[in-house]
Amino acid sequence: MSDGEHALVDTKGKFVQVVSDGRKRNDIEWLPGRILLSNKRLVLATNDGKRTIPLSKVSSVTASQMNQPLAQVDSYIKVQAGRNVTLISAKKADEFQEKLYSTLLDQTVVLINHPAVKGGVVQDGGWEKGRLKLDGDCINLAIASGTFVELDIDDVGTVESKEKTIRGDERPLLEVEHTIEGTSVETHISGTPRHVSLIEGLVRQGEQRNIADDVDLTDKETQVLMALYSGISPFKIPDFVDMEIEEVEDVYDRLMEADILEPVRTRREVQLEARGRSIASDAMADQ
């Protein structure tokens, strides 16, 4: 390896190039081989040779759980570098993905607006510079003003991607919904198109895990969800929605069975799961 280069992951797996120089390939075949990741490049090696992908060329990484039975692949990540796209299924999948994202994103400087929305209410904060660091399934954002934001990927409810004028320039923007101390918030992140694309691939994994299926809720269940989403304490819900304590407790039980709420400490203290926040957000939008 060259000076300053060091190995991060050395594992086996399968891989296939599905887009070459901007054109989809029809003759795709998953190849078994060795997958080597350093802090500068990704090497895919077979008995017939090797292919090197410089990390500086990687513009997006997305994960998929789609089963590929013919290739005996349960999951893979899609890596785009320039006009080429490669699917990679590593045996040490979690370690490989974590190291790849960390190498691509650690210490990246981005623009952050936090909290841009809190409890469904738009806040007055502005954009600040912040530095990003990954710690397992958590994105840590150290903002210049001294605020520290811990964004747990498993806690991500919804993600919106758009373009917006920020500090006088048209920039890509991610609106990421998650929780801080049980309250739904949105953290908005902007930066270069490459950095935003890489971050989006990461946070959308949480969104996909917690996507809200169609759920039939009663009016009372919807009222409780919206109250919790707005930041009302679980202990104050009966008075807020004008329901008896026992009735609210029954609602809690049904929503916990549906993986929409989770208990925190006592029976009557609950907080919304990411799936529940997604349902509550949709319900509030319909009001």
Side-chain angles (χ1 to χ4, degrees):
M1 291 187 176
S2 60
D3 291 343
E5 184 177 10
H6 54 272
L8 298 171
V9 178
D10 185 347
T11 186
K12 294 180 180 180
K14 292 185 177 183
F15 37 83
V16 58
Q17 187 173 1
V18 292
V19 177
S20 178
D21 197 26
R23 294 185 178 183
K24 282 189 175 182
R25 297 181 57 184
N26 296 320
D27 57 336
I28 63 171
E29 179 185 358
W30 287 85
L31 300 173
R34 188 178 173 194
I35 301 168
L36 299 97
L37 174 67
S38 77
N39 58 319
K40 293 189 176 182
R41 56 183 167 158
L42 173 61
V43 179
L44 307 174
T46 68
N47 292 332
D48 297 325
K50 65 180 182 180
R51 188 157 62 88
T52 299
I53 303 174
L55 295 187
S56 60
K57 300 292 185 181
V58 174
S59 57
S60 72
V61 177
T62 54
S64 174
Q65 295 297 319
M66 185 180 296
N67 187 35
Q68 297 283 334
L70 295 179
Q72 296 180 333
V73 171
D74 294 326
S75 64
Y76 59 83
I77 62 171
K78 180 170 70 173
V79 177
Q80 181 168 351
R83 290 163 57 83
N84 299 321
V85 176
T86 303
L87 309 183
I88 302 171
S89 178
K91 285 194 174 179
K92 297 180 180 178
D94 292 341
E95 179 187 1
F96 174 68
Q97 180 175 306
E98 181 181 333
K99 291 291 187 182
L100 179 59
Y101 270 118
S102 294
T103 305
L104 292 169
L105 286 173
D106 269 358
Q107 305 306 316
T108 296
V109 175
V110 293
L111 289 173
I112 302 166
N113 182 359
H114 173 85
V117 180
K118 184 175 182 180
V121 179
V122 176
Q123 305 297 295
D124 295 329
W127 290 93
E128 300 180 80
K129 285 186 177 180
R131 193 173 296 276
L132 182 152
K133 184 172 177 58
L134 298 183
D135 181 11
D137 277 345
C138 192
I139 299 175
N140 295 323
L141 300 169
I143 303 176
S145 61
T147 303
F148 183 80
V149 181
E150 199 173 77
L151 202 165
D152 187 344
I153 295 167
D154 283 335
D155 183 49
V156 171
T158 58
V159 180
E160 293 287 340
S161 176
K162 57 184 66 175
E163 296 279 332
K164 186 176 180 179
T165 301
I166 300 171
R167 292 188 170 182
D169 294 317
E170 192 77 5
R171 301 175 188 264
L173 163 69
L174 289 178
E175 299 178 351
V176 185
E177 190 274 342
H178 58 115
T179 60
I180 298 291
E181 296 179 349
T183 300
S184 171
V185 300
E186 283 186 17
T187 297
H188 292 182
I189 303 172
S190 184
T192 67
R194 176 174 181 263
H195 288 152
V196 171
S197 176
L198 289 168
I199 296 168
E200 181 176 2
L202 189 56
V203 295
R204 283 204 184 276
Q205 293 183 43
E207 180 190 44
Q208 289 301 313
R209 294 169 197 162
N210 298 312
I211 194 165
D213 301 323
D214 290 336
V215 180
D216 291 327
L217 298 179
T218 66
D219 288 343
K220 290 182 178 180
E221 288 168 347
T222 301
Q223 288 179 44
V224 170
L225 271 186
M226 289 191 294
L228 289 168
Y229 185 80
S230 300
I232 304 299
S233 166
F235 298 104
K236 296 181 180 178
I237 292 294
D239 290 337
F240 188 82
V241 298
D242 194 22
M243 292 166 58
E244 295 295 327
I245 293 176
E246 293 77 9
E247 194 174 8
V248 171
E249 293 239 347
D250 287 341
V251 169
Y252 287 166
D253 286 338
R254 291 195 296 272
L255 295 179
M256 283 189 282
E257 287 176 4
D259 292 328
I260 293 171
L261 295 182
E262 63 175 346
V264 180
R265 285 187 292 272
T266 64
R267 176 174 171 81
R268 290 187 60 236
E269 186 170 2
V270 295
Q271 67 181 24
L272 284 168
E273 292 269 33
R275 185 166 180 259
R277 299 198 306 274
S278 180
I279 295 170
S281 177
D282 291 342
M284 293 179 77
D286 291 339
Q287 295 298 305

